Amino acid sequence: MRLALTLALLALVPITAGAAPGKVIPQICWIEYSATDLPGAMGGQGITEMKVWHSTFSGVLVRHPKGDILIDTGLSPDALAEVNELPKNERTFGQGIVKSAESRIYPPQALAKAGEGGADLKAILITHAHYDHMGGALTLTAPVLVSAAEKQWIKAQTKSPTIVPPSMAGRLSSRLQVIQYDSGAYMGFAQSKDYYGDHSVVVVPLPGHTPGSQGVFLNLPGKRLFLIGDTTDTLEAAYRGLPKSDVVRSATDFVPELADRQAAAIARFHRAHPDIAIIPAHDRTAYAVAFGQPFACTAAAPRR
């Protein structure tokens, strides 16, 4: 009941389906690569309200006068071969992930559904370097922005992989650029990066799931979102501060104890700022509340 009430209170802003670039700016759009339904219990330890986890592989397109960015890119066309490079536990888990997304599309096709060309992107911002967030960058050419800790970890994974496929990491290594957290404290986080310098996109560190995981605040008039990557998998877990389910936690969290603490911190943040919509990367319901439907874009002021 509490989850349903919270979702109902998060008012939707006007959206436009597949608005052409240049018509309204700044603007954010839901870019979905694939979706599947999973048992609710997989969405976090102690899940009680969610019987079915409506899971998604999604990103967010940001259109801005200083250049467009894509946040997270889904799987690559070679995802199955990539996960087969991983150790047994992570390989088995990854094979299940890839199979669940068999009907996926890739960033060029997904962006086109929102009226964007892949060549229009200034950069790709990755919340973390797992194959289901960074792999799709292989279908694009823009620089890939990661934290310093994540870049170092990606390099290490090319030699001793646990969950980053070495072939994917190697193919993207020359395109990796580091986000410097040089904008001071923000919303309770000690460090941040005000990407455009106007507070519309603010990146903060969220380590635990990976060494350099990042969260992204998106601030538009009348609309504030906090993309938390895989800090939690579902809204219920985010609101209640629940750790990931055992099967997901053991296969994906780099430092499980730190990841658990970050999940609890997200719940505290939500209680302090209930007006900011939390968006776990794999919760389709969260995207639907924020955007209405895939490839829809929030309304924004016309370009002057």
Side-chain angles (χ1 to χ4, degrees):
M1 178 64 72
R2 179 181 178 275
L3 176 59
L5 178 60
T6 304
L7 294 176
L9 292 173
L10 289 171
L12 293 174
V13 300
I15 58 172
T16 56
K23 297 295 185 182
V24 288
I25 199 165
Q27 187 184 68
I28 55 176
C29 308
W30 175 10
I31 305 299
E32 185 170 61
Y33 312 110
S34 185
T36 191
D37 285 346
L38 300 168
M42 283 190 66
Q45 294 181 31
I47 290 288
T48 58
E49 297 185 33
M50 183 182 64
K51 304 307 179 184
V52 177
W53 172 11
H54 301 297
S55 181
T56 185
F57 298 84
S58 285
V60 173
L61 170 67
V62 180
R63 292 190 175 114
H64 193 279
K66 293 184 178 180
D68 300 350
I69 63 172
L70 176 63
I71 303 169
D72 285 346
T73 64
L75 294 157
S76 88
D78 301 317
L80 185 57
E82 290 166 355
V83 299
N84 284 337
E85 301 170 12
L86 302 177
K88 183 178 179 180
N89 183 43
E90 290 79 7
R91 179 171 67 249
T92 301
F93 181 84
Q95 289 168 345
I97 292 295
V98 174
K99 184 177 181 180
S100 75
E102 285 181 339
S103 61
R104 65 188 179 272
I105 60 175
Y106 301 106
Q109 295 79 23
L111 288 167
K113 288 177 177 288
E116 183 88 0
D120 297 330
L121 295 176
K122 173 184 179 180
I124 298 163
L125 176 60
I126 299 297
T127 59
H128 61 287
H130 285 177
Y131 47 81
D132 56 332
H133 293 257
M134 191 167 75
L138 291 167
T139 66
L140 301 167
T141 59
V144 179
L145 309 180
V146 296
S147 68
E150 200 77 344
K151 184 177 181 180
Q152 183 178 8
W153 182 61
I154 293 168
K155 183 178 180 180
Q157 289 278 302
T158 62
K159 298 179 180 179
S160 301
T162 57
I163 197 161
V164 178
S167 64
M168 182 188 77
R171 291 168 67 188
L172 289 172
S173 61
S174 65
R175 291 167 54 195
L176 298 180
Q177 295 184 7
V178 170
I179 284 273
Q180 301 289 349
Y181 300 127
D182 55 9
S183 302
Y186 182 81
M187 297 297 295
F189 292 87
Q191 296 178 299
S192 72
K193 176 63 177 183
D194 183 357
Y195 182 72
Y196 291 113
D198 60 3
H199 303 293
S200 61
V201 176
V202 180
V203 188
V204 297
L206 281 176
H209 184 58
T210 67
S213 287
Q214 307 180 117
V216 186
F217 286 91
L218 302 176
N219 303 306
L220 273 68
K223 186 73 170 178
R224 300 190 71 189
L225 310 181
F226 185 19
L227 310 182
I228 63 169
D230 288 2
T231 304
T232 72
D233 286 326
T234 61
L235 275 174
E236 183 178 345
Y239 291 164
R240 296 175 55 199
L242 302 177
K244 295 183 182 69
S245 63
D246 288 338
V247 64
V248 177
R249 186 176 185 267
S250 64
T252 68
D253 280 344
F254 180 74
V255 182
E257 296 78 15
L258 178 56
D260 295 349
R261 293 196 296 272
Q262 290 286 21
I266 291 296
R268 292 193 297 272
F269 180 90
H270 171 65
R271 289 192 293 271
H273 305 283
D275 58 314
I276 299 178
I278 303 293
I279 313 290
H282 295 291
D283 193 316
R284 199 168 195 260
T285 300
Y287 285 95
V289 169
F291 293 95
Q293 60 187 0
F295 314 109
C297 304
T298 61
R303 185 197 297 270
R304 293 182 179 180

